[in-house]
Amino acid sequence: MEEIRLWWPMIVGFVAAVFWLSRLEWRGLQNAAEIKRLWTQRKEDLEAAQRARDETNKILDEIRKDIKELLKKGAV
């Protein structure tokens, strides 16, 4: 019984340390998954922005062509 009282604080400390380290590892894995999700979302956002810019440029090209046509007709 005396030995249990002697070793009890060390055993509790060891168990607490293992628990703390496992929590730390779990947080690290969770953070890695969140970072991966954010990179995927960023890639999707960049692709969507590029598509929107392409569509805007396409519309601006059409407007530019229409203006040139109107100027040609007005100059003649």
Side-chain angles (χ1 to χ4, degrees):
M1 189 68 164
E2 189 64 32
E3 286 185 21
I4 292 175
R5 284 188 186 174
L6 179 66
W7 290 98
W8 181 79
M10 288 183 219
I11 293 170
V12 170
F14 178 75
V15 170
V18 168
F19 178 74
W20 180 76
L21 287 173
S22 65
R23 269 187 60 215
L24 189 63
E25 179 67 20
W26 179 74
R27 277 188 186 174
L29 293 174
Q30 194 175 25
N31 287 341
E34 179 67 14
I35 289 170
K36 184 178 178 181
R37 184 192 68 79
L38 287 172
W39 274 106
T40 303
Q41 182 179 350
R42 181 180 183 271
K43 181 181 175 189
E44 292 170 359
D45 290 345
L46 287 174
E47 290 171 355
Q50 182 64 44
R51 284 192 303 272
R53 281 192 304 274
D54 290 344
E55 184 65 28
T56 302
N57 288 338
K58 187 176 171 183
I59 292 170
L60 288 173
D61 284 341
E62 290 177 18
I63 292 172
R64 188 179 304 125
K65 288 176 186 175
D66 291 342
I67 290 173
K68 283 182 182 181
E69 240 180 77
L70 288 172
L71 288 174
K72 285 180 184 178
K73 287 182 183 177
V76 172

